[in-house]
Structure formats: structure tokens, C-alpha cells
Amino acid sequence: MATIKKTLSTKTDGQGYSQILIRVSIDKDKKLRLKSGIFIPQKRWDNTKERISYGKATGTERIEMSEKETRLKNFEAKVLKLCEISPKDILTKEWIESVLSVCDNIEVSQLSIPVINELLDKSQNPEKYENRSFFDHIIDFRDNAKKKVNGKREGDKSDVWKKNFNVLVRALRRYEMFVRLSDKERRNFTLDIDTISSETLSDIESYLRNEYSLLEEYPKIFEKIPASTDSRRSPKPQPRGNNTICALFNKLKAFFNWMNEKNITTNNPFKGYEGVVSEKYGTPYYITLEERNTIADFDLSAHPQMEIQRDIFIFQCCIGCRVSDLLKLTQSNVINGAIEYIPLKTKGERQNVVRVPLNTRASTLMKKYKGVDSKGRLFPFIAAQNYNDSIKEIFRLCGITRAVTVINSITGKEEQRPINEVASSHMARRTFVGNLYKKVKDPSLISSMSGHAEGSKAFNRYREIDDEVKKATVSLID
């Protein structure tokens, strides 16, 4: 661990001020001398305590010395942080001084090698950073942002997160072009990190909510707006619900927070913005173990392709993984009677291995399809959307059609729907979590097998679902 010794230079300037000097001992063999750039009167230095002494100073001088003491503490903290995070071979007097010269506005807690390298690059190659567009910055965020864990930025964002983030980027590109084409007074409109205001956010929110109807109102304008940045045009915009808008705005807000942290801009239009309200989710609905077994044991021999998809769905109900993970499972994921995998959704953020022991039903299904898939996967999977369509039809064929209360994703209002119409691969995950939670009220144990993050809002909703426990509890006061 590096240590610092502070002394006051014997040389004085024209005002009788001397510079505070720093000697850094990195180890026995490496010691560096640095100039702090902080000058004080000789009488204001306590050599024994190695600090500025201004107990008897008054007025302007006291304020000046107090400010310089703060600067000195910050200087010392940054030097120690650099010694802590940097490889020993780059710790030279010249390198430390060059870093300190470009990080005046950076908090000690924000210092990291990537941040330092970017600051140095900006100072040495300013032309690279001039006239960067809003989309240059937002793509930079997408590719380089880190997951925040326990207040620290660590771990790359997952590919799934980046894919979802691209939805926001494409929507903002369309918004920018729509403004140019629809408003004669703003033909040169561009999104700018320094000028986007809360009013701009309101306009973006309105666009996102109404893009599908704007397409019908201004068809000629949308003919000129590319649906995406690649040659393949995306499907026409669909109505977006409040939760979708919230998810997009949360990503945009994270982008501005990142820009503020990196001191690229001081502008943050989300401060005081009261537009998008919080996401609204209903109580999770899922099938009971009895319904699951009805589906598992139903004779689907007349529908051989449906039988395969039914078996995959039941297997997913037994291990509770997301469909993105399910589609990638092979025999290599089967270890000592359990399925082991790192969830794709959080792979770049957390490397936690999820391990789910295989019950008898899951093991039987796995053996049934061993060696069947040409790609070596556990099951002969089809496309995720076709899998979801099959699940709905399987529920109907098996007579699992009871009504459930769901939240309409567009209107945000509750409505009753037959469960077969809203069934999907994600219901298998909910079935796994919900039925386990009924049996064992241990969130930590269950989330270790479902791959939910600690404190997950999605997981916490399962605490609301157990009517049987609620009835039993209320009966205690009969």
C-alpha cells in the first residue's frame, strides 16, 4: 500500500508563498516526488503534522487556507487511488501528473483505468471528441456502460440488454427524423445532449405513445423514415403500453446519468421530469401443479408436433429457466443430476451459476429426447414465437381455459382472459416459481434456482399470490 509524506518547499514566490510537495512511497524500491500546485505562506504549514495550520487565521486568509486544505486532501486521495488501481510499471511521476491534470472534475470514487484512459485520450486527441452527435454518445453508452452493483460500476451489460437498448436508439432516430419532416420550423432539428430538456422528453414520450397512429396520419412522412438502420425494414410501429414506455425511458435516464458521471455534460432533463409514471404489473398468474400434470399426461398422439412442444413446456415448468436459456441447453449443462447454466439475461452483469436439480418428470423427458436434436440440444426446439403459439393451442386442446385477471399492456387496465389465450413460455417460469413458493416460503432458495436477481421486483410479486395461505391465515380469527 502506497504512503504519502508532505513537506513545504523552502523556495518562495514573489508573495512569500511556498508549494506543498508530495513524496509517494509505492514500495521499498519505488518512490516518486510530485508537486501539488498548492501554495501557502510558510507560517501556515505544520511540518510535524504535515498539514495546513490556519487556526489563528481570520477573514479572507482563513477561507483561502480552508479551500487549499480541501484541495490538498483531494490531491492526496487521488494519488493514493491511482497507486491502488494502476499497474506498478505505469506509475511514473510524468504519468501521475498527466492524469491529475485532466481529472480535476472527477470524483475519487469515479477513478478507474478506463475513465483515466478516456480522459487522457480526450486531452491528447481533442479532434476525436469534437462535434460528437447525440447518437455517437448513446451508442458509446450502449457499448461501454457497466452494470451498477453495490454502488460500483462493474460487469459488462448483457447482449440481451444491448439488443433491447437498440429499440430505444432506433425509436429516437425515427423521432428526430419525424420532427424534421413534420415541422417546417425545425427542419434542422437534432437531438443534443446539452439542450434536451424536460419539454423534449415530453415530446419524445408523446411520440412513443402515438407513433402507430402518427404512421396512419402521416403515411408519406413515414415512407421517408427508415424503420431501422439496417437494410431490413422492421414491422410497422405497434401501440405501446405504459410499461414499455417506462422501460425505454429508464434506459434513456440511465444514459444521462452515465453522461453526468463521466462529466461529458451537466445537463440532465430527467431532474424534475414528471412525465412517465412507474410500471404497473398485475399479480403473476400461472397453472397449478394439477393443471401442469393434466397437460403433461394428456394424450396428444394425434398431434405429434404438439406433443413435442408440450414436453418441452413441461420440462421448462420443472426447471424454471427463461426461454432464451432453455433454447441453448445441451447435455453439457447436465451435471450430477442437475441443470447448470449462467442466465443469458444477466451473463454480462453477474456470472452466477444457476443450478436446478432434475426431478423425476424432468429426467424422464430429457431421456425421451436424448440424441434427437441434430444440433445436440436437449430438445428439438423450434423458434420461440412458434413455441409460444403452440403452448396456447396445447392449453386449449387440454381444456386448460379458466379465466385469469391480467393487465392490458396498452390500456394498463385489468381484464379477464382465458388462460390459454395468454399462455406463453414465460408461464412455465412463473409456474416453477409460483408453485415452489407455495411449498417453501424461502425467496433466497427459490431465486437461486430461478436466476432472479436479489431484490427482484418481478420475484417479489409472487409473495402476493398464495390465496390458500391467506385463507388459512384469515380462518385463524373465525
Side-chain angles (χ1 to χ4, degrees):
M1 179 178 177
T3 58
I4 281 179
K5 181 175 178 59
K6 302 183 287 292
T7 59
L8 192 66
S9 173
T10 56
K11 297 179 181 179
T12 60
D13 61 12
Q15 297 179 323
Y17 279 46
S18 298
Q19 184 171 197
I20 299 173
L21 305 177
I22 305 291
R23 185 174 68 188
V24 188
S25 297
I26 298 171
D27 56 29
K28 292 181 179 180
D29 302 320
K30 193 161 191 175
K31 303 183 189 304
L32 305 175
R33 294 182 181 275
L34 304 172
K35 295 179 179 179
S36 71
I38 301 170
F39 291 78
I40 63 170
Q42 289 274 344
K43 66 179 181 180
R44 293 301 172 206
W45 180 250
D46 186 330
N47 199 52
T48 302
K49 296 182 179 180
E50 297 182 26
R51 55 167 292 180
I52 298 172
S53 176
Y54 56 95
K56 296 181 180 180
T58 59
T60 304
E61 185 185 19
R62 185 175 183 85
I63 294 173
E64 178 191 359
M65 292 303 108
S66 176
E67 291 175 347
K68 290 187 175 182
E69 182 180 47
T70 300
R71 285 177 54 198
L72 180 61
K73 288 180 179 179
N74 187 52
F75 183 93
E76 183 178 358
K78 285 182 177 178
V79 170
L80 290 174
K81 182 66 179 285
L82 291 178
C83 292
E84 175 189 337
I85 65 175
S86 309
K88 182 181 174 182
D89 58 343
I90 69 170
L91 285 171
T92 63
K93 174 179 180 292
E94 293 73 22
W95 185 80
I96 292 176
E97 287 180 343
S98 65
V99 172
L100 294 174
S101 69
V102 298
C103 67
D104 280 347
N105 297 322
I106 303 294
E107 296 291 333
V108 174
S109 60
Q110 296 174 356
L111 281 178
S112 66
I113 294 299
V115 169
I116 290 168
N117 289 339
E118 184 172 345
L119 289 171
L120 291 174
D121 191 42
K122 283 182 179 180
S123 68
Q124 296 162 8
N125 305 289
E127 67 283 354
K128 284 174 55 178
Y129 297 87
E130 291 177 356
N131 302 317
R132 297 193 79 199
S133 72
F134 172 86
F135 290 102
D136 288 333
H137 287 297
I138 203 167
I139 294 300
D140 187 28
F141 169 72
R142 180 199 66 190
D143 294 341
N144 298 297
K146 302 291 184 181
K147 173 71 174 177
K148 201 167 188 177
V149 181
N150 297 325
K152 296 181 179 180
R153 296 287 182 189
E154 54 185 41
D156 295 331
K157 294 286 191 179
S158 67
D159 290 339
V160 173
W161 181 90
K162 292 179 180 180
K163 183 179 178 180
N164 292 336
F165 193 83
N166 284 336
V167 175
L168 170 66
V169 175
R170 291 194 294 268
L172 291 175
R173 288 188 188 277
R174 294 196 301 273
Y175 165 76
E176 185 181 72
M177 191 169 290
F178 178 79
V179 173
R180 292 177 188 171
L181 295 172
S182 63
D183 190 337
K184 293 181 180 179
E185 296 182 358
R186 295 196 289 173
R187 287 180 175 175
N188 297 319
F189 172 79
T190 57
L191 290 168
D192 188 297
I193 59 169
D194 295 315
T195 60
I196 290 179
S197 63
S198 57
E199 289 78 13
T200 313
L201 293 182
S202 294
D203 202 38
I204 293 172
E205 180 184 343
S206 176
Y207 176 83
L208 293 174
R209 290 189 186 280
N210 300 293
E211 187 176 25
Y212 73 100
S213 59
L214 291 172
L215 172 64
E216 297 176 357
E217 190 175 350
Y218 301 98
K220 292 184 178 179
I221 286 180
F222 275 86
E223 287 177 3
K224 301 176 183 179
I225 300 178
S228 64
T229 54
D230 56 29
S231 58
R232 177 185 60 81
R233 290 185 66 85
S234 301
K236 68 178 183 178
Q238 299 297 312
R240 294 186 179 95
N242 187 71
N243 289 354
T244 301
I245 304 295
C246 280
L248 292 173
F249 262 55
N250 284 338
K251 290 179 174 62
L252 186 58
K253 185 176 182 179
F255 163 65
F256 271 99
N257 288 340
W258 186 75
M259 297 289 283
N260 292 161
E261 288 177 10
K262 293 174 71 66
N263 293 288
I264 295 173
T265 182
T266 58
N267 178 43
N268 192 333
F270 282 91
K271 289 182 178 178
Y273 182 66
E274 299 179 353
V276 182
V277 297
S278 60
E279 294 147 301
K280 181 180 180 182
Y281 294 97
T283 300
Y285 53 89
Y286 59 94
I287 54 175
T288 64
L289 290 178
E290 290 75 18
E291 289 171 325
R292 185 203 68 180
N293 294 341
T294 295
I295 294 172
D297 300 332
F298 195 85
D299 183 8
L300 288 174
S301 56
H303 308 275
Q305 289 303 314
M306 288 294 175
E307 181 179 353
I308 295 172
Q309 302 314 309
R310 181 270 312 277
D311 290 345
I312 295 173
F313 176 78
I314 296 301
F315 180 81
Q316 190 182 2
C317 286
C318 292
I319 67 171
C321 66
R322 298 178 180 89
V323 69
S324 57
D325 297 310
L326 179 73
L327 296 175
K328 294 185 178 298
L329 294 179
T330 67
Q331 281 295 328
S332 64
N333 294 103
V334 183
I335 301 174
N336 295 328
I339 290 288
E340 288 191 9
Y341 66 97
I342 298 175
L344 285 173
K345 184 176 180 180
T346 57
K347 193 170 185 178
E349 303 165 6
R350 302 190 310 276
Q351 296 296 315
N352 295 344
V353 175
V354 171
R355 177 176 170 83
V356 186
L358 292 164
N359 61 19
T360 302
R361 189 180 289 277
S363 296
T364 301
L365 288 171
M366 203 168 62
K367 290 176 183 176
K368 178 180 178 180
Y369 291 92
K370 186 174 182 179
V372 172
D373 185 62
S374 60
K375 297 180 180 179
R377 298 172 298 182
L378 291 183
F379 296 89
F381 297 116
I382 57 176
Q385 185 54 55
N386 293 337
Y387 176 45
N388 282 330
D389 293 340
S390 298
I391 291 169
K392 292 177 173 60
E393 179 62 12
I394 290 164
F395 272 51
R396 187 190 69 79
L397 290 172
C398 296
I400 308 299
T401 58
R402 63 181 169 87
V404 292
T405 300
V406 301
I407 300 292
N408 186 298
S409 62
I410 305 303
T411 66
K413 296 180 179 180
E414 291 184 352
E415 59 184 32
Q416 280 67 47
R417 298 275 301 280
I419 196 170
N420 58 296
E421 292 182 5
V422 294
S424 68
S425 63
H426 206 69
M427 187 178 288
R429 181 166 166 79
R430 291 198 298 269
T431 297
F432 174 82
V433 175
N435 282 296
L436 275 181
Y437 194 77
K438 275 189 174 183
K439 301 290 185 182
V440 183
K441 305 293 189 294
D442 187 340
S444 297
L445 175 62
I446 298 171
S447 62
S448 72
M449 293 187 287
S450 67
H452 280 98
E454 185 177 349
S456 166
K457 292 180 181 178
F459 186 86
N460 285 339
R461 292 198 297 275
Y462 287 93
R463 302 183 183 195
E464 305 171 11
I465 58 182
D466 201 342
D467 276 348
E468 293 175 14
V469 173
K470 290 178 183 177
K471 290 175 182 177
T473 302
V474 172
S475 69
L476 295 175
I477 57 173
D478 278 348

